Amino acid sequence: MSSASWPTAAHLSPANLEIVPIGRAHLAGFHAAVDSVAKERRYLAMLEAPSFTRTRRLVLDSLKAGAVHVVAVAAGEVIGWCDLRPKTAPTLRHSAVLGMGIVAAYRGQGIGSRMLAATLELAWARGIRRAELNVRSDNAPAIALYRRFGFVDEGTCRNYICIDGVDYDALLMARLAP
Ligand SMILES: CC(C)(COP(=O)(O)OP(=O)(O)OC[C@H]1O[C@@H](n2cnc3c(N)ncnc32)[C@H](O)[C@@H]1OP(=O)(O)O)[C@@H](O)C(=O)NCCC(=O)NCCS
């Protein structure tokens, strides 16, 4: 899918934006949204989305394993996602790793806040007791969002991400269930 099929930001209003659990009908849109954010080469560990087949498998497997995964849908198109994937080791299953992103044109309008609120509420209800993430230290909007939702810094992972030959630090941030 090309970005041409996303609705224009001007068409976005709280009335036509839904935050919903991901379903099979959203998989192609989710894949396109991940690919778009990854290709900015700034925010995600991946620089492009895995193939659609692999993405589909990863999502369906992680849902089976207890992940929470919501998407933001505007005028029928997926424009963002937020997921929390529980770790697999028996001693770490109470703990889940957060990932999120929004197609560039839709940022800074509170959609990330809505997705994160919905994801955390579902996660706590499901018994997840710790949410954690790594975020590039220079990603100020994401860090501001996480802090506002009670995530605290647990450390700096030095030279954690290497993009185009440049190393970047990342913050390890986490919050516990209320
Ligand atoms: C991070 C992201 C999901 C946030 O979603 P969003 O819809 O833009 O977030 P919101 O509009 O709900 O809130 C963003 C916050 O960042 C703040 N912000 C925006 N630009 C900022 C900047 N340049 N510096 C500091 N804070 C900034 C906003 O003011 C807001 O905080 P506030 O409500 O306390 O004022 C979105 O920006 C995104 O997709 N970024 C690219 C992908 C990414 O970084 N993913 C996370 C990887 S760990």
Side-chain angles (χ1 to χ4, degrees):
M1 186 190 295
S2 77
S3 59
S5 50
W6 282 306
T8 62
H11 290 132
L12 200 61
S13 74
N16 67 11
L17 180 86
E18 295 184 293
I19 311 292
V20 290
I22 194 167
R24 284 173 187 267
H26 301 124
L27 288 170
F30 167 66
H31 178 253
V34 171
D35 198 49
S36 159
V37 177
K39 284 179 172 160
E40 292 181 65
R41 306 177 75 82
R42 256 201 88 163
Y43 302 111
L44 305 185
M46 62 187 112
L47 298 176
E48 62 182 347
S51 70
F52 174 69
T53 308
R54 187 162 158 67
T55 300
R56 183 176 170 282
R57 178 55 37 223
L58 285 169
V59 171
L60 298 177
D61 285 351
S62 79
L63 289 175
K64 263 192 222 145
V68 174
H69 191 155
V70 303
V71 285
V73 181
E77 298 294 339
V78 174
I79 58 158
W81 77 92
C82 184
D83 59 42
L84 253 181
R85 297 178 185 205
K87 297 182 177 182
T88 50
T91 53
L92 304 179
R93 276 185 200 140
H94 63 290
S95 185
V97 179
L98 185 104
M100 69 187 301
I102 297 174
V103 173
Y106 303 97
R107 293 177 194 153
Q109 303 173 56
I111 300 169
S113 303
R114 287 179 59 185
M115 289 200 302
L116 188 52
T119 301
L120 292 177
E121 195 180 314
L122 288 166
W124 307 148
R126 194 168 290 185
I128 291 171
R129 292 186 284 110
R130 172 184 159 92
E132 70 176 47
L133 58 94
N134 283 99
V135 55
R136 219 170 97 171
S137 310
D138 60 355
N139 189 348
I143 292 169
L145 175 66
Y146 300 138
R147 289 206 174 120
R148 192 150 43 74
F149 275 81
F151 285 77
V152 299
D153 302 8
E154 293 194 335
T156 299
C157 307
R158 295 167 301 157
N159 291 358
Y160 186 76
I161 306 168
C162 180
I163 301 177
D164 299 326
V166 180
D167 291 336
Y168 298 90
D169 290 351
L171 296 182
L172 169 62
M173 301 182 78
R175 73 150 289 178
L176 303 182

